[in-house]
């Protein structure tokens, strides 16, 4: 029997990953999620920053990281400098301050292109999931497990699910672009 829900869930997961990638992009505002993809090499392993200190955003353009172990401060500093966030940490004891600079026009345009490409990758993933669903439908029809009518109906349902997910990606892309272009 064909299960449309499993393919819908796969598409949901794809959008979840896409949303996480979008939230880690640096806009003009300070956002703790920007640091989600930065890993610090501590205790012999790669750890997210939120596992070596507490992250706060006291002001719209400032992120503070209160590092719990003083020995890890230089490691956090190095990890942030190595990341492609373009932020310059300021160290004050165990507190690492990250001032988030204003975005210039060139960087905004560059970010729009990055957002569009991330959105396109997500849409391609969703279309690949649709292709897998349609392949399974064709196989079930060939093995005579379902009839042609059922195959056509399921195919239409899969297409509707795909269209809804792609529309959702487009909405997220345009929202993020608006956020970036807002000065």
């Amino acid at each position: 029997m064909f299960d449309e829900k499993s393919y819908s869930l796969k598409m949901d997961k794809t959008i979840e990953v896409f949303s996480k990638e979008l939230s880690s992009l640096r806009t003009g505002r300070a956002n703790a999620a920007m640091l989600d993809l930065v890993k610090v090499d501590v205790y012999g392993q790669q750890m997210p920053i939120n596992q070596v200190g507490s992250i706060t955003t006291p002001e719209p353009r400032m992120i503070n990281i209160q590092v719990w172990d003083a020995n890890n401060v230089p490691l956090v500093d190095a990890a942030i400098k190595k990341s492609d966030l373009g932020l310059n940490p300021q160290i004050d004891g165990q507190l690492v301050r990250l001032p988030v600079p204003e975005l210039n026009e060139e960087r905004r345009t560059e970010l729009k292109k990055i957002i569009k490409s991330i959105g396109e990758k997500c849409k391609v993933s969703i279309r690949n999931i649709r292709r897998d669903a349609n392949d399974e439908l064709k196989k079930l029809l060939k093995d005579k497990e379902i009839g042609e009518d059922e195959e056509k109906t399921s195919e239409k349902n899969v297409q509707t699910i795909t269209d809804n997910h792609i529309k959702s990606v487009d909405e997220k892309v345009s929202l993020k672009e608006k956020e970036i272009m807002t000065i």
Side-chain angles (χ1 to χ4, degrees), residues 10-74:
K10 285 181 186 176
M11 290 181 192
D12 289 343
K13 285 264 190 262
T14 304
I15 288 183
E16 216 173 279
V17 169
F18 168 67
S19 296
K20 197 163 185 72
E21 276 186 62
L22 275 188
S23 72
S24 70
L25 278 178
R26 180 168 77 88
T27 59
R29 274 183 233 105
N31 177 3
M34 291 165 45
L35 301 172
D36 284 353
L37 301 176
V38 180
K39 301 279 190 252
V40 184
D41 194 13
V42 288
Y43 311 120
Q45 62 184 13
Q46 296 285 318
M47 295 175 95
I49 287 184
N50 63 5
Q51 290 183 8
V52 293
S54 46
I55 303 170
T56 56
T57 51
E59 304 168 30
R61 298 212 175 278
M62 179 72 70
I63 299 174
N64 287 347
I65 305 165
Q66 182 65 48
V67 183
W68 297 318
D69 184 352
N71 299 328
N72 293 338
V73 173

Side-chain angles (χ1 to χ4, degrees), residues 101-164:
E102 280 277 347
L103 292 176
N104 59 17
E105 194 60 39
E106 190 179 302
R107 180 69 179 146
R108 287 177 201 272
T109 312
E110 192 181 309
L111 278 173
K112 270 180 77 170
K113 286 178 189 167
I114 292 170
I115 290 167
K116 274 192 171 50
S117 82
I118 293 172
E120 274 311 307
K121 283 180 195 161
C122 182
K123 287 193 227 174
V124 166
S125 297
I126 288 170
R127 290 185 193 114
N128 286 340
I129 294 167
R130 177 190 61 193
R131 189 193 59 224
D132 294 344
N134 289 340
D135 289 349
E136 185 185 333
L137 280 169
K138 283 180 180 61
K139 185 181 178 300
L140 288 172
L141 180 67
K142 187 179 165 203
D143 296 345
K144 301 207 181 331
E145 290 180 37
I146 60 172
E148 281 185 31
D149 293 344
E150 195 177 340
E151 186 228 9
K152 292 287 180 223
T153 307
S154 293
E155 217 172 74
K156 277 189 183 126
N157 292 345
V158 167
Q159 185 59 47
T160 306
I161 292 168
T162 304
D163 292 343
N164 291 340

